[in-house]
Amino acid sequence: MPAPRTVRCPICADPFAWPEGPEILIKDEDTGQYKPKDISPLSPEKQAFLLRQGYLECPNPSGDTPSHLLPATYVNYQDPLVIGLVGAPASGKTHLLTAMIRQAYRNGLDPYDISTTALDILRHDDFRSRYIEMFEKGAALPGTTVGVIEAADILLLRGPTGERPVTFFDVAGEDLASTAAENRSNRFLLGANAVIFVCEAEDPLETKRLTPAENKAFELAVERLRSVPGRVDQLPATIAVTKSDRLRYVPPADRWLRRGDERFVDPRRVQRESRDVFAYLSQTGAAASLLPFETFRRCTLHFVSASGGDAVPVNGQDGGSTGDGLEKYFPRGIRPTRVLEPLVAILAMTGVIPGAEADRVGRP
Amino acid sequence: MAELVKIRGRNVFGRLREIELVEGGAYDAPGSRLRQRLVVVKNRSYVYKCVPRADGNREPALYDMLDNEVRAGTRLGQVYADRYPPELARLAAYNVDAEEPFVLFYAYAGDPATGLATRLEPEHRRLFEVGLLRAVRLTAEAGVIHGALTMDALRWDGRQVQLVNFESARQVGEPRRSGPVLPSHSPEQSSGSGTVDKRDDVWAACLIVRDVAMGASANGFRRDRSSDPEWLRALLDPVFDNEVAHRPEPADLLRGLRSDVPELAAGDPEAGLTPGQRQFDRISLRKRRTTANAGQEPANRGTNPRWGVAAMVVLVVIAAVVGLAVMFGWVNL
Amino acid sequence: MSTNASEVEVLDLRVAPGDPPVGRFGRLVVLDDADSLVKHADTYLALVSGEMVSAVVCVAIGEADGDDRFGGAVLAIPHALRYATVLWVGDREGVRWVPDGSHPRPVEADEKAGDSLDDLIAALRVPHVFDRVVEMAEGHPGMSPAVRVAPIAPDPVELVDAGEAAVQALTAPEYGSAVNLGPRVRRLDSSNDHRGNVLAGRIHQTRDKAVRALNRVTELTAVLGTGPALLGRDRPTARLGEEVARAGQLAEEYRECLALLLDRVDGHLRVGTPPVAKVTELGVPTPRAARLGEIVPALREVVTERLARGTSLTTLAEEIRLAAATSEPQGCGTDLAEVRGRGPLSLGMPAFRRWPISRALLPVVAVCCALLTILLGPGSSGWVGGGLLAAGWFASGLLLLARRPGPAAEHGLATAWLPAVGTYGVAAVAGVAGGALAPDVVLSWVAVPELVGGLLAVGVSAVSAATVVLSWRAAVRAWSAGLRVADVRTAIEELTRRCEEAVGREWLPVRRHRAIAATAGSIAVAIEELSATLGATGGRVLAGEWPDPPDEVTPAVPELLRVVHADLADLCRAALAPAWQAAEGGRRLDRNVLAKHLVRRLGDYGDRVRRHGLLAAGTPGDRRRDALVARLWADSPLAAVALRTGPGTELVQLCRGDQVRYLSTAVSPGLLRFAPGRLRGVLERSHTDRALASDPGITWSDGGELVGALRLVPLRPESVHHMMGSR
């Protein structure tokens, strides 16, 4: 009998041995409770069907997370690709993540022969109703709640190299900035296969600062990852400049945003964009945001716009509120631009998108 | 006293500012599809062009026109910065994310040139022609093509021309769009083929030059140019008889009008990026060196060592073959 | 209210009996009720005694009241009207009647009441008819009229439509029909233009220098093949290279000078700089003054001609604008480009033959020397003779080598020595040596009598000399052929001609061109103003009111349209007069001056047409109106019937059937047939109705638009009662 496979829980970030027992948890539609069920006596077809809907409970080794379930099929695929999003508070991580997942479900990865489905239907439904639908309504999303780290959604990417679950961690900026040595953010970070560093194109009028502040979230994340030998040489990273729509008429962002979504992998183009983003950040004095590029050996930089425009206060007044909880909204709806480019770069750098061209992405 | 309204808008470099304006009254200048009115900011008059929600719902293309206008205005503002030429309308602020997206221009100079071709005094015609070509040169050199250059897009204050209404503007190098065909469009623009050329506006400008020179709407009445004055034919034949690649540039036409062609005060909006780009290159180089030294990078296996191995193999094979041949073939012989 | 003495005035005392009859003059038709005549006696007295009133025709309508009936009289006439013409209209409707005693018949139902009275008044308004009626009524106390008229005038509605159509035609652009007046207008007042040689001063001197230098080169080349060229002190070979280079340089200087001139001319013509003085200082005359007195009338002729051809005002304005643009100074960019493109001019110095005496002739040199040595030998005489010939050959070769013209000067002896020794010297010495040492066998071959030998020796010497001379000449010819003096000369001539043409075409008449352009420009503006004004009337010129322009114009009778079109075009042409005056005086006309002119003229025209009719508003020789009359005549059979009325024709007599008894049967009735004079001309050209034209019974009126017949039957004397005064 083979040794049980060790996986890292996408919820608590603890590694644990995947139980190989015949019991899975099935949600009772009437009570809403999960009940154990032994599926071994059933036919293989029935087993496969129930497995798609079944869950296993994470043993929760650290015990610092409420008990949580994982899809029973989580382990049936290649090792999950765990992508962490790091960024300062209100840097637009949630919007970027929402827009990115939305675009992926809308066949945005088709040009790369990758299709996207939800691995955990219940989790996906929850994410859809809490984020995607609000986002599609043109409503600005609230920031990630401080202290909560969770795999927002688990995608299943089917591509030329097989089927691979992908989970994202939208890490609350405040949480990561906390210097508490043993918080879960750090655990997640160390367990990630790739990191998207998110910084925003700042408006001094809103930040009340003439030059960008130091980027503590980036510094801490980089510091944590550096502490593991060889990690920064292996781990693919990207820097996404969100809210780039603010720069839609300013070079060099204008020419990249005008291009819209790309249709193929071109390492030279990625290199050019990275160079432009780097130069832009450097020009605006956001040197702290460039730390990941200097640190990680494979690192790309991208201009992205999750919503396509700035949110404005409802009724034209800050703090105004409508009945459905919207405080800000996008008057002209959402027009995500180039939100998949960081993900595509990571997929190329992690081999999910195969090929010689993809292999060169992010290399210096 | 009119009410003070606070709005937020970005300047040509994308910086968000708070603007306090007072309504300045209706403004009815020809050639604009966008709604426009006058506003006053700090005792200075501005043209406010916007797309109210209702207009945008009815005609979504208005948003594109506003986008074109802002894009051209910011580009020109970035290129000419503090040496902005009076021949071009100057963008002061914009906000395309607002409930009512808008663009704010410094008040235009003079009066609309609509119908001016027949009214212009002979002594002013050349001034007008030169001013027009200067304006076209300034936009073209900044990589902006107006795209709908007619008398409606020009202002005239008796001495100087100003080019306004960039609602159909494009940037040089973009693919041409197949949109509504205007009588002022060149054959290439009409067919919507190829990429936008810096000489795309020259065609329309020369139609205007012809109208002004002849003091009439030559375009409508006399498409046949055979009876045009000799100097005009000499000036315009190279424009109308050639494909865009062989058409003269505005500077050539200015010389043809015996006007001086001063150096442009154009700056490079991306000059500030150069230090960052250099730093990027330095870091990339450092990473490559580190990788090469560590020898960890499988992708960057280096080309020279592999060629060396291949050469060694080939040499060994050749040596072996020659050796064998000598040993067996020649010995046997 | 003022009236024209040539008109007939109508005064209706029935509607305005209280009107004081002041200010009346000329012919007067007075309408009155028959029973009011006596009541209005004072009025009549005032009228007939008015000095300005030439004649009065009183139309008395109805019957006098019973009280006024004196002995069965139907009409009571006040004394004031005793000598006036009184037409009695017993009944407005009238009866159909022939004054031959037959019974009157009632009028047809479709002949509306009142029409006949209106017809009568319309006929009386024609001055000729009025006069004839007065004539015919003389001696009769009262006459009963019978009338039949047919209008020979355009339908009023059609007339208004024609006005609209004409205005549209005059103000609409006629795409494709514009004529290029440019070349014609540009040449206005150009008959005295100077052509040909116009370059003088500095530019002429430069040209002279270049031509003289070329002539010098030609002269030097011509003498190059002669002896003095080789031997004289002042040898051309010494200076030829220098002269050629100089000629080329002067030619180029001239071309540059022409380019400078054309550049200045072009600059001045196109943008006004440099000033005239900077152009004339190069040697061209000052531009001639413009003669507005010649230009303006000539342009006016062009405009008048175009308007007469029916060109619309819009088109004409475009044509004149184009003419103005074409008449402006055009500059001479093409000529300038040509002159610049021909540069730089230079006269290349072709290379002279390296060996004036070809090296192929070296055997000849040797043979000649050997032969002479043998012929004059043996012994010292032989080698001395041969030696002399050898020296000659060598000296010639050396000389020719030294005299070859080079790029700067001749090559000279210093450089020629070595080649001469190495070629001609060696060959000649070898020949002499060969002759002196020739074996006997050879000598025996050439053993000739002494005399023959002498002759041969002379011959050999002559051949040698000839070879030298011919060689030099051939070398000179070959060199001359490579010298492109003629090409440079042609270039100079062509450039000169081109420049002179440009100066003659553009520079000298620049002031005239500017004046023409300014005049034509101002006239184009003026025509546009007229066009706009005419268009703004909306074509309702003939409707008496000018609302918005109509959307569509009803097609009008072509002849009618042509008349109105021509009339309006004439009005516009006349309205242009202030613009021409201003142009001639070099003044600029204020806006709206012409518009006001035109509006006034249009108003007058409309009034005239409404008052007298369209046909009257023309001149006798107006062929368009004649054509319209012909058309109206052809379309109006009633007119022919009216004109053919005879004494026995049944007409509508303006009385009731029972009133016929008041009419006299003793006196034969008078018949008056009348028609507009313009119709006469038309009938004269007609095949069918020519006889009418010469009918002496027809009165041809000057104006009027009525054709008709009027029969006047006198009242019996007892039917009229003359009153001595008012009661």
Side-chain angles (χ1 to χ4, degrees):
Chain A
M1 185 172 166
R5 186 170 159 194
T6 301
V7 298
R8 186 179 289 273
C9 173
I11 315 293
C12 63
D14 274 326
F16 67 95
W18 189 263
E20 293 295 331
E23 274 196 354
I24 57 169
L25 299 171
I26 300 288
K27 188 174 187 180
D28 186 326
E29 293 298 332
D30 298 330
T31 62
Q33 299 291 315
Y34 291 88
K35 290 182 177 165
K37 186 175 177 69
D38 183 353
I39 57 168
S40 56
L42 301 174
S43 67
E45 292 79 16
K46 188 81 177 168
Q47 282 187 22
F49 176 75
L50 286 174
L51 266 178
R52 283 286 288 150
Q53 304 183 7
Y55 291 85
L56 284 176
E57 184 164 12
C58 172
N60 202 3
S62 298
D64 57 359
T65 311
S67 66
H68 49 277
L69 304 177
L70 290 177
T73 51
Y74 187 63
V75 81
N76 288 9
Y77 307 100
Q78 296 173 18
D79 280 346
L81 181 61
V82 182
I83 303 172
L85 277 85
V86 175
S91 58
K93 292 191 300 297
T94 312
H95 278 101
L96 174 59
L97 181 58
T98 308
M100 200 185 269
I101 291 177
R102 176 176 172 272
Q103 289 297 92
Y105 280 123
R106 292 164 72 98
N107 305 326
L109 296 173
D110 273 4
Y112 309 97
D113 286 335
I114 292 173
S115 64
T116 309
T117 51
L119 184 68
D120 181 346
I121 305 287
L122 294 176
R123 188 172 291 274
H124 173 66
D125 287 346
D126 182 51
F127 183 75
R128 163 165 285 286
S129 63
R130 281 173 57 203
Y131 289 91
I132 297 183
E133 282 172 7
M134 291 292 277
F135 182 60
E136 283 178 343
K137 272 193 218 162
L141 305 176
T144 314
T145 316
V146 177
V148 173
I149 294 175
E150 197 161 296
D153 197 358
I154 306 176
L155 312 186
L156 181 63
L157 302 188
R158 290 196 178 84
T161 58
E163 296 174 314
R164 193 154 183 192
V166 177
T167 64
F168 295 92
F169 298 97
D170 183 355
V171 182
E174 292 84 345
D175 196 27
L176 197 70
S178 158
T179 49
E182 270 311 313
N183 75 25
R184 288 186 301 144
S185 320
N186 301 329
R187 203 163 68 225
F188 272 110
L189 205 52
L190 297 178
N193 303 110
V195 185
I196 299 178
F197 290 92
V198 181
C199 59
E200 65 166 330
E202 286 188 3
D203 267 331
L205 188 68
E206 293 195 330
T207 60
K208 314 292 181 205
R209 287 188 301 263
L210 279 177
T211 52
E214 56 179 7
N215 197 329
K216 201 147 194 183
F218 280 22
E219 283 171 27
L220 288 167
V222 168
E223 203 47 50
R224 299 281 183 280
L225 291 166
R226 230 182 212 155
S227 62
V228 183
R231 195 85 176 104
V232 293
D233 290 333
Q234 303 290 340
L235 195 67
T238 70
I239 301 173
V241 178
T242 55
K243 305 182 188 176
S244 289
D245 45 87
R246 291 169 174 175
L247 309 168
R248 63 164 79 86
Y249 299 114
V250 183
D254 61 343
R255 60 169 163 267
W256 294 104
L257 294 180
R258 285 260 153 199
R259 289 176 66 94
D261 292 338
E262 303 292 349
R263 309 290 298 170
F264 58 93
V265 175
D266 178 358
R268 286 164 296 278
R269 186 194 66 225
V270 174
Q271 168 96 352
R272 284 200 304 277
E273 184 180 7
S274 299
R275 190 169 183 259
D276 278 348
V277 178
F278 186 98
Y280 160 72
L281 289 173
S282 170
Q283 184 189 23
T284 55
S289 301
L290 297 171
L291 190 59
F293 178 75
E294 293 172 32
T295 310
F296 291 87
R297 212 177 54 72
R298 285 185 84 173
C299 183
T300 61
L301 296 90
H302 306 271
F303 286 116
V304 299
S305 169
S307 55
D310 268 352
V312 299
V314 174
N315 301 330
Q317 292 169 359
D318 279 312
S321 179
T322 58
D324 52 0
L326 302 181
E327 292 184 343
K328 282 188 164 186
Y329 80 115
F330 300 102
R332 292 179 54 201
I334 49 156
R335 288 156 293 148
T337 310
R338 291 180 81 80
V339 287
L340 282 179
E341 297 315 308
L343 179 60
V344 168
I346 282 177
L347 296 180
M349 290 190 281
T350 51
V352 178
I353 297 174
E357 292 287 276
D359 184 54
R360 287 173 51 209
V361 169
R363 296 195 187 278
Chain B
M1 177 159 172
E3 193 186 348
L4 199 69
V5 181
K6 269 191 193 177
I7 57 169
R8 284 181 162 200
R10 297 180 186 278
N11 69 3
V12 293
F13 300 105
R15 275 180 216 119
L16 195 63
R17 297 279 158 84
E18 210 138 64
I19 304 163
E20 292 183 339
L21 54 84
V22 178
E23 288 300 324
Y27 191 61
D28 186 24
S32 176
R33 296 278 304 280
L34 301 177
R35 199 159 288 220
Q36 46 187 352
R37 58 180 193 265
L38 283 180
V39 297
V40 178
V41 180
K42 292 179 182 163
N43 291 327
R44 192 168 175 178
S45 218
Y46 292 80
V47 178
Y48 178 94
K49 301 175 94 173
C50 62
V51 184
R53 171 65 68 100
D55 288 10
N57 289 344
R58 195 178 56 246
E59 194 180 352
L62 292 176
Y63 290 117
D64 294 335
M65 291 180 193
L66 184 78
D67 179 62
N68 292 338
E69 184 102 65
V70 175
R71 197 157 166 244
T74 48
R75 173 76 193 167
L76 295 171
Q78 289 155 9
V79 169
Y80 294 111
D82 49 358
R83 284 193 284 177
Y84 200 86
E87 286 91 347
L88 306 177
R90 184 172 191 178
L91 186 147
Y94 68 89
N95 190 340
V96 292
D97 295 328
E99 167 77 32
E100 181 183 274
F102 72 88
V103 58
L104 203 59
F105 279 97
Y106 289 87
Y108 299 153
D111 298 314
T114 312
L116 197 64
T118 52
R119 300 199 310 267
L120 215 51
E121 299 297 340
E123 60 267 29
H124 284 148
R125 283 189 202 147
R126 190 174 164 278
L127 264 184
F128 188 91
E129 291 159 359
V130 167
L132 163 66
L133 290 172
R134 281 197 181 146
V136 171
R137 176 171 178 244
L138 285 163
T139 51
E141 293 301 324
V144 174
I145 292 302
H146 186 280
L149 190 51
T150 61
M151 279 295 204
D152 285 350
L154 296 170
R155 316 271 305 183
W156 171 247
D157 65 1
R159 297 180 50 78
Q160 200 152 43
V161 171
Q162 191 178 49
L163 182 56
V164 300
N165 292 343
F166 288 88
E167 291 165 18
S168 303
R170 309 297 328 270
Q171 296 211 346
V172 171
E174 292 177 345
R176 287 201 188 90
R177 272 196 295 241
S178 49
V181 174
L182 305 177
S184 61
H185 275 169
S186 69
E188 298 84 6
Q189 287 173 307
S190 301
S191 69
S193 59
T195 53
V196 176
D197 190 280
K198 68 194 289 194
R199 286 163 286 201
D200 271 6
D201 276 340
V202 165
W203 182 282
C206 287
L207 286 179
I208 296 177
V209 166
R210 183 164 176 248
D211 278 2
V212 169
M214 314 257 283
S217 174
N219 189 34
F221 215 87
R222 288 188 297 268
R223 288 187 179 281
D224 170 25
R225 290 183 292 111
S226 58
S227 47
D228 282 9
E230 184 191 323
W231 72 269
L232 194 60
R233 282 210 311 274
L235 184 75
L236 302 186
D237 279 355
V239 176
F240 295 131
D241 293 349
N242 282 322
E243 288 183 354
V244 66
H246 300 105
R247 237 166 252 161
E249 294 190 6
D252 303 325
L253 293 167
L254 281 170
R255 279 184 211 103
L257 281 174
R258 296 189 74 99
S259 161
D260 52 339
V261 183
E263 281 289 309
L264 291 182
D268 178 8
E270 300 195 26
L273 297 173
T274 313
Q277 286 166 339
R278 288 205 186 115
Q279 195 190 348
F280 179 90
D281 296 340
R282 274 198 303 276
I283 295 172
S284 296
L285 186 65
R286 195 191 67 215
K287 283 190 195 176
R288 278 199 294 275
R289 280 186 185 146
T290 317
T291 306
N293 292 344
Q296 298 167 328
E297 180 46 57
N300 194 3
R301 284 166 284 257
T303 48
N304 293 343
R306 294 178 76 197
W307 276 115
V309 171
M312 290 279 283
V313 169
V314 169
L315 277 176
V316 168
V317 169
I318 290 171
V321 169
V322 169
L324 285 173
V326 168
M327 280 174 69
F328 297 104
W330 285 19
V331 167
N332 285 348
L333 280 172
Chain C
M1 182 174 157
S2 69
T3 51
N4 191 316
S6 66
E7 292 173 5
V8 178
E9 185 74 11
V10 176
L11 178 64
D12 193 342
L13 290 181
R14 295 170 305 167
V15 293
D19 255 5
V22 292
R24 307 281 171 178
F25 55 92
R27 305 174 181 91
L28 200 59
V29 173
V30 183
L31 302 181
D32 204 352
D33 289 322
D35 63 353
S36 302
L37 295 184
V38 177
K39 199 162 62 187
H40 294 149
D42 291 344
T43 307
Y44 288 117
L45 188 61
L47 287 173
V48 297
S49 59
E51 279 184 10
M52 302 294 279
V53 175
S54 57
V56 172
V57 172
C58 174
V59 179
I61 302 158
E63 292 181 13
D65 285 349
D67 290 352
D68 295 331
R69 300 269 179 100
F70 297 90
V74 74
L75 203 55
I77 298 179
H79 188 73
L81 289 176
R82 189 175 189 86
Y83 301 105
T85 303
V86 177
L87 299 182
W88 172 61
V89 176
D91 181 50
R92 294 172 57 127
E93 240 173 69
V95 286
R96 295 189 155 275
W97 186 60
V98 185
D100 57 355
S102 60
H103 286 289
R105 296 188 300 118
V107 294
E108 308 283 334
D110 60 340
E111 290 172 293
K112 280 190 265 169
D115 277 1
S116 298
L117 177 60
D118 292 344
D119 287 350
L120 172 67
I121 293 166
L124 288 173
R125 292 190 80 138
V126 178
H128 281 81
V129 174
F130 182 96
D131 292 349
R132 284 284 294 133
V133 167
V134 172
E135 240 174 80
M136 285 161 69
E138 211 170 301
H140 299 290
M143 306 282 270
S144 166
V147 67
R148 168 185 279 169
V149 295
I152 193 93
D155 177 75
V157 176
E158 278 184 4
L159 182 59
V160 170
D161 287 350
E164 290 172 2
V167 166
Q168 275 204 357
L170 274 167
T171 54
E174 302 159 296
Y175 291 100
S177 68
V179 170
N180 181 10
L181 298 174
R184 180 176 166 193
V185 170
R186 193 165 211 261
R187 280 199 306 272
L188 293 180
D189 189 32
S190 66
S191 50
N192 297 326
D193 271 9
H194 181 71
R195 302 270 172 223
N197 189 11
V198 288
L199 303 180
R202 180 176 145 191
I203 204 146
H204 186 68
Q205 289 159 11
T206 316
R207 176 169 183 263
D208 255 10
K209 272 193 212 165
V211 170
R212 275 205 302 274
L214 286 173
N215 290 345
R216 181 84 185 124
V217 170
T218 311
E219 284 164 17
L220 291 178
T221 309
V223 299
L224 192 60
T226 62
L230 292 169
L231 303 171
R233 179 178 284 275
D234 189 22
R235 298 182 302 275
T237 51
R239 306 187 316 271
L240 201 47
E242 201 180 302
E243 291 285 355
V244 167
R246 187 164 162 270
Q249 194 183 332
L250 286 174
E252 172 59 8
E253 271 174 28
Y254 176 59
R255 187 197 63 82
E256 280 175 355
C257 203
L258 289 181
L260 178 68
L261 171 68
L262 289 181
D263 185 50
R264 287 187 185 180
V265 167
D266 191 56
H268 181 82
L269 297 183
R270 300 269 306 281
V271 299
T273 51
V276 173
K278 294 294 273 183
V279 182
T280 51
E281 75 179 18
L282 291 178
V284 292
T286 308
R288 280 187 296 277
R291 304 191 299 175
L292 279 176
E294 302 291 326
I295 291 168
V296 175
L299 184 62
R300 189 171 188 169
E301 198 178 307
V302 174
V303 169
T304 306
E305 189 184 300
R306 290 297 293 152
L307 276 176
R309 284 177 183 275
T311 314
S312 88
L313 294 173
T314 320
T315 306
L316 182 56
E318 286 279 340
E319 290 176 353
I320 299 295
R321 271 201 188 284
L322 172 66
T326 317
S327 301
E328 273 173 3
Q330 300 294 305
C332 48
T334 318
D335 304 290
L336 179 58
E338 167 70 14
V339 171
R340 282 183 173 150
R342 289 289 288 269
L345 287 183
S346 65
L347 188 58
M349 177 75 182
F352 205 85
R353 274 186 191 169
R354 173 82 181 81
W355 302 99
I357 301 172
S358 168
R359 281 175 298 176
L361 291 174
L362 291 181
V364 175
V365 173
V367 167
C368 283
C369 290
L371 266 178
L372 196 66
T373 309
I374 293 167
L375 288 171
L376 297 181
S380 60
S381 62
W383 59 260
V384 168
L388 281 174
L389 183 62
W393 269 113
F394 170 70
S396 306
L398 175 67
L399 185 69
L400 297 195
L401 274 173
R403 291 291 186 258
R404 284 176 302 138
E410 58 187 21
H411 284 81
L413 284 172
T415 56
W417 267 108
L418 221 56
V421 170
T423 48
Y424 312 119
V426 168
V429 169
V432 173
L437 304 174
D440 288 345
V441 182
V442 178
L443 296 180
S444 67
W445 290 344
V446 292
V448 289
E450 195 172 337
L451 181 62
V452 175
L455 287 174
L456 279 175
V458 171
V460 166
S461 305
V463 165
S464 299
T467 305
V468 170
V469 170
L470 291 177
S471 289
W472 176 249
R473 290 210 163 161
V476 167
R477 265 201 307 279
W479 176 83
S480 305
L483 191 64
R484 300 283 171 206
V485 176
D487 290 353
V488 175
R489 217 185 274 279
T490 309
I492 286 178
E493 279 164 16
E494 278 177 6
L495 294 179
T496 306
R497 198 177 62 244
R498 182 137 199 161
C499 198
E500 281 177 340
E501 270 175 20
V503 168
R505 187 184 69 239
E506 295 291 338
W507 173 253
L508 295 180
V510 56
R511 289 178 179 154
R512 188 182 77 226
H513 286 159
R514 284 187 180 137
I516 293 175
T519 306
S522 68
I523 293 301
V525 170
I527 295 173
E528 269 162 7
E529 190 175 317
L530 293 181
S531 175
T533 309
L534 192 59
T537 65
R540 306 290 290 173
V541 178
L542 300 173
E545 50 186 24
W546 297 349
D548 291 337
D551 294 337
E552 277 181 32
V553 173
T554 324
V557 180
E559 291 85 353
L560 175 59
L561 180 59
R562 277 197 278 274
V563 168
V564 179
H565 188 282
D567 283 357
L568 294 180
D570 256 4
L571 291 179
C572 292
R573 185 184 49 73
L576 264 181
W580 294 115
Q581 284 159 9
E584 207 152 347
R587 285 179 289 111
R588 197 170 276 180
L589 209 57
D590 290 337
R591 279 199 174 268
N592 292 329
V593 167
L594 296 181
K596 282 180 197 155
H597 260 259
L598 183 63
V599 166
R600 206 184 59 231
R601 282 171 191 276
L602 287 173
D604 290 352
Y605 172 71
D607 282 351
R608 214 160 55 238
V609 169
R610 277 190 299 282
R611 189 186 287 260
H612 303 294
L614 180 72
L615 294 173
T619 49
D622 187 340
R623 275 181 301 166
R624 290 188 191 87
R625 278 187 161 72
D626 286 351
L628 176 59
V629 168
R631 169 73 187 257
L632 292 170
W633 172 256
D635 287 353
S636 172
L638 277 181
V641 171
L643 219 48
R644 292 200 168 91
T645 302
T649 310
E650 186 184 71
L651 295 178
V652 175
Q653 197 74 35
L654 291 178
C655 60
R656 291 196 306 273
D658 60 343
Q659 289 173 331
V660 168
R661 60 196 163 91
Y662 296 117
L663 308 186
S664 166
T665 49
V667 185
S668 59
L671 180 66
L672 165 64
R673 287 174 295 149
F674 58 93
R678 193 179 292 281
L679 179 62
R680 189 178 197 178
V682 171
L683 294 178
E684 273 169 359
R685 289 190 291 276
S686 153
H687 295 295
T688 49
D689 301 317
R690 192 176 297 161
L692 284 173
S694 50
D695 188 336
I698 298 177
T699 299
W700 301 100
S701 59
D702 277 351
E705 294 187 321
L706 275 186
V707 170
L710 201 57
R711 188 175 60 204
L712 299 177
V713 182
L715 270 70
R716 292 171 190 273
E718 57 273 28
S719 303
V720 180
H721 178 77
H722 289 282
M723 306 287 289
M724 289 311 291
S726 61
R727 284 169 292 151

